[in-house]
Amino acid sequence: MGKTIYILNGPNLNLLGHRQPEIYGHDTLADVETACAAVAAERGHAVRLFQSNHEGEIVETIQAARQDAAAIVINPAAYSHSSIAILDALNTFDGPVIEVHISNIHKRESFRHHSYVSLRADGVIAGCGVEGYALAVRRICSLLD
Ligand code: DQA
């Protein structure tokens, strides 16, 4: 049966496509949603994409995923490097979690090298541009099927 995959995005990713395109590219979150929906549909699944600039809202969406979603793809953006609350929320979620970073965080400033979310993530994709989201959905589908 088809399952729902949440695609969660943290702060400033609402500006994707316009924000520092030399780092994050020209595609928007709407483009990301279209690409992920196509990959999920091939396997009979569906995606729901969320973005918030607020840590608490991301925590609440992860809590909602406990009832609503079979898996989570998350780009926590800057909260990756600071948020124990998002890590704790993900630790209450039983399904697969894949962490995505559009840029290669390991090639950037040292404060981006550590991610709290990686302590929970079943897989991490970094530096593959926005294609990383679709790759993450493909991996999630393999884990779900
Ligand atoms: C990011 C990397 C983070 O360090 C940064 O704060 C972001 C985006 C990425 O997708 O490459 O906002 O998560």
Side-chain angles (χ1 to χ4, degrees), residues 32-103:
V32 167
E33 186 169 23
T34 303
C36 289
V39 171
E42 278 171 27
R43 309 281 277 264
H45 301 306
V47 300
R48 281 186 67 190
L49 186 138
F50 300 86
Q51 188 279 329
S52 177
N53 294 323
H54 304 281
E55 187 177 24
E57 267 180 25
I58 297 168
V59 167
E60 283 169 3
T61 306
I62 294 166
Q63 290 181 6
R66 286 158 48 82
Q67 267 76 54
D68 242 29
I72 295 176
V73 172
I74 183 165
N75 182 348
Y79 286 141
S80 320
H81 319 301
S82 67
S83 180
I84 296 167
I86 290 175
L87 169 64
D88 284 352
L90 287 169
N91 277 331
T92 74
F93 182 77
D94 288 333
V97 173
I98 305 285
E99 177 181 358
V100 171
H101 298 284
I102 298 163
S103 64

